[in-house]
Amino acid sequence: MVKRNRGEFEIMQNDDLVTSVARALDLLDSFSSSRQEYSVAELAELHSLPKSTVVRLLGTLKAKSFIEQDEVSRKYRLGFKLYFLGQVYGLGMNLRNKALPLMRTLNEATGETVNLNVLHYGRRVCVEMLESSHEIRSFVKIGERLSPCFGAAGRTLLAYEDRESRKSIMEQDGLDTGQMEELEGILAGIREKGSYVSVGNRIAGLAAISSPLFGLNGSVIGCLSLSGPADRITVHVDGYIEKLMEASTIISRQMGHNK
């Protein structure tokens, strides 16, 4: 076994480095296509760590599904959560590359936060964000998974799912029959207009505008959203909708949509 230097995978020491997190990431970085399983003892030797430390780190990673343990061999391998994150990353990369220049233009023209969002396994996920230049602003963390039943971006993504998928997501998020019927009416309006304005729906005092992004086969592959304090957004709402839809149309064409 080739013993790795403990500092080989670590970031340079600085005030922001959290040792336990760095060590956990080092453990994850041990795995490769040629070596997919390790025992506690092997990882402890590889990283010059006490077995007790490795056990605690693996326990945390296992609890969060970043690591799995074989019931027979008791060895550890990478967990499904890493596959999920890789899927989210891959899903957004090509779209992100096409969208980012238009997002910058929109961000500079409005001064508001601009998000690129996708729907992944029934959750709205932000894959890129450009923050507002204002001190008071709205933002969603990149990679954060949110319900698509609330907010402009989530509802825009949900609007273009098939009826059964929409129903399943609404039920998953605890909507009753009346709420589902009301939301279906809103989603139909989104499909008709091609944009949606939400005021205080997800977070009180905030407003957002969203427009879908279409791909080669006409399916919705994501959405672009612009958000900020309601008093700023609503004053310029018509102009912002026009700018947002123009950017969305250009991005959609770049992704192969020809309508």
Side-chain angles (χ1 to χ4, degrees), residues 130-144:
L130 297 178
E131 286 193 41
S132 167
S133 57
H134 296 283
E135 185 174 347
I136 300 175
R137 56 189 180 269
S138 167
F139 70 94
V140 172
K141 295 178 182 178
I142 294 177
E144 185 176 8

Side-chain angles (χ1 to χ4, degrees), residues 52-68:
S52 58
T53 299
V54 173
V55 168
R56 289 197 301 272
L57 292 172
L58 289 173
T60 300
L61 291 169
K62 182 180 176 182
K64 295 296 184 180
S65 301
F66 286 94
I67 283 287
E68 297 174 351

Side-chain angles (χ1 to χ4, degrees), residues 81-101:
K81 182 61 71 66
L82 290 169
Y83 174 77
F84 165 76
L85 293 176
Q87 288 285 94
V88 173
Y89 178 78
L91 183 66
M93 275 308 294
N94 187 39
L95 179 57
R96 175 190 175 277
N97 291 340
K98 299 291 186 183
L100 198 52

Side-chain angles (χ1 to χ4, degrees), residues 11-212:
I11 303 169
M12 292 181 65
Q13 292 290 334
N14 57 59
D15 293 339
D16 295 326
L17 184 66
V18 179
T19 302
S20 59
V21 175
R23 286 175 174 173
L25 294 174
D26 284 349
L27 294 184
L28 293 177
D29 206 17
S30 305
F31 298 87
S32 66
S33 58
S34 60
R35 185 65 188 272
Q36 299 182 26
E37 290 189 333
Y38 282 95
S39 67
V40 170
E42 289 168 337
L43 287 170
E45 181 181 357
L46 193 62
H47 295 282
S48 301
L49 291 172
K51 289 183 181 179
S52 58
T53 299
V54 173
V55 168
R56 289 197 301 272
L57 292 172
L58 289 173
T60 300
L61 291 169
K62 182 180 176 182
K64 295 296 184 180
S65 301
F66 286 94
I67 283 287
E68 297 174 351
Q69 187 177 25
D70 187 278
E71 294 183 1
V72 177
S73 70
R74 310 306 296 168
K75 289 190 175 185
Y76 292 86
R77 55 176 176 260
L78 297 179
F80 82 90
K81 182 61 71 66
L82 290 169
Y83 174 77
F84 165 76
L85 293 176
Q87 288 285 94
V88 173
Y89 178 78
L91 183 66
M93 275 308 294
N94 187 39
L95 179 57
R96 175 190 175 277
N97 291 340
K98 299 291 186 183
L100 198 52
L102 275 299
M103 290 176 66
R104 290 196 182 103
T105 299
L106 192 60
N107 176 252
E108 292 169 1
T110 65
E112 301 296 351
T113 298
V114 179
N115 292 329
L116 176 63
N117 315 275
V118 298
L119 191 68
H120 191 263
Y121 286 95
R123 300 290 90 181
R124 168 208 169 183
V125 181
C126 174
V127 295
E128 185 56 87
M129 178 191 67
L130 297 178
E131 286 193 41
S132 167
S133 57
H134 296 283
E135 185 174 347
I136 300 175
R137 56 189 180 269
S138 167
F139 70 94
V140 172
K141 295 178 182 178
I142 294 177
E144 185 176 8
R145 291 167 54 78
L146 298 171
S147 167
C149 295
F150 306 96
R155 288 180 169 179
T156 297
L157 292 167
L158 185 61
Y160 293 88
E161 290 292 290
D162 63 74
R163 189 173 183 84
E164 285 303 311
S165 296
R166 296 198 303 269
K167 181 181 178 182
S168 176
I169 291 170
M170 291 180 199
E171 290 176 343
Q172 175 186 338
D173 287 354
L175 275 65
D176 60 32
T177 302
Q179 291 171 322
M180 291 170 66
E181 290 177 355
E182 180 182 359
L183 183 52
E184 278 292 351
I186 292 171
L187 301 181
I190 295 173
R191 291 191 294 271
E192 180 181 350
K193 295 179 180 178
S195 66
Y196 180 61
V197 180
S198 169
V199 180
N201 177 247
R202 194 174 67 85
I203 300 175
L206 294 181
I209 308 167
S210 186
S211 183

